Amino acid sequence: MKGELALLLKALAFAAHKHRDQRRKDAEASPYINHPIALMSVLCVEAHVCHPIILSAAALHDTIEDTETTGAELEREFGSTIASIVSEMTDDKSLPRAARKRLQIEHAPHMSREGALVELADKICNLRDVAAYPPAGWSLERQREYFEWAKAVVDALPPVNAKLLELFEEAYRRRP
């Protein structure tokens, strides 16, 4: 238990440090770290997925994609399992947005159980955020397109958790 809690706190501190200068795209430009914390809450509090490796990966899920963090750095700090889950969640930012979105759908059926859990939580949180606090400058059409794309990703994931799927469907029903 002590080691599990230490892992979670280390992952949160690492993510907070890496995302320290980043903001979400909502009108209030909320601190980015709120997003990984929301994923952890969806997983543990709402879906009762409380495994420390999965929760740590949720905390770290955007660090490679959105910060200067490398996979090697994550592996060194958190081990190969967590680094692998985070790598599954990482888009290649050198590709155009449309290609990244297409690849997420194509990659979804091949995700590990742990990666699929984190991916589901990510999509739930993103849909909730887009519905309640749309990104500044996003048209209604772009918001709707995001919802449809997120559903395509989730529909392609392996079935890993009925409660998370239920939460996703609830969030999806709130589409603009």
Side-chain angles (χ1 to χ4, degrees):
M1 176 67 175
K2 183 178 176 184
E4 293 173 348
L5 187 55
L7 176 65
L8 290 172
L9 291 173
K10 181 180 177 183
L12 271 173
F14 186 94
H17 176 73
K18 292 293 187 165
H19 292 295
R20 69 190 175 277
D21 296 325
Q22 296 176 328
R23 298 292 194 186
R24 294 288 282 170
K25 295 177 184 177
D26 59 343
E28 291 80 28
S30 57
Y32 195 87
I33 192 63
N34 293 356
H35 174 63
I37 292 169
L39 263 71
M40 296 172 75
S41 180
V42 163
L43 285 163
C44 190
V45 177
E46 296 182 59
H48 310 291
V49 176
C50 299
H51 194 285
I53 288 177
I54 295 168
L55 294 177
S56 295
L60 300 164
H61 80 280
D62 277 335
T63 55
I64 295 173
E65 185 173 317
D66 292 340
T67 75
E68 297 298 315
T69 305
T70 65
E73 181 181 8
L74 278 185
E75 187 166 348
R76 198 170 46 253
E77 294 292 324
F78 298 98
S80 60
T81 302
I82 289 173
S84 177
I85 297 166
V86 173
S87 291
E88 284 186 88
M89 303 284 304
T90 302
D91 286 348
D92 180 350
K93 289 288 200 121
S94 71
L95 297 173
R97 185 168 61 99
R100 293 192 313 263
K101 288 179 161 292
R102 178 182 48 76
L103 287 171
Q104 274 199 39
I105 296 167
E106 291 175 9
H107 177 65
H110 311 290
M111 292 187 87
S112 67
R113 177 183 175 279
E114 296 82 3
L117 290 167
V118 177
E119 183 72 35
L120 262 168
D122 187 39
K123 294 300 184 263
I124 291 163
C125 292
N126 286 343
L127 291 191
R128 288 175 176 176
D129 287 348
V130 169
Y133 312 101
W138 277 31
S139 67
L140 191 56
E141 180 182 347
R142 183 161 181 201
Q143 293 172 48
R144 288 178 177 155
E145 287 172 359
Y146 185 87
F147 268 69
E148 296 312 312
W149 167 76
K151 180 145 180 47
V153 173
V154 168
D155 286 349
L157 288 170
V160 291
N161 185 288
K163 181 60 178 177
L164 284 172
L165 287 172
E166 178 185 317
L167 293 169
F168 177 83
E169 291 301 327
E170 285 175 19
Y172 181 76
R173 283 193 295 274
R174 296 185 200 130
R175 66 190 174 275

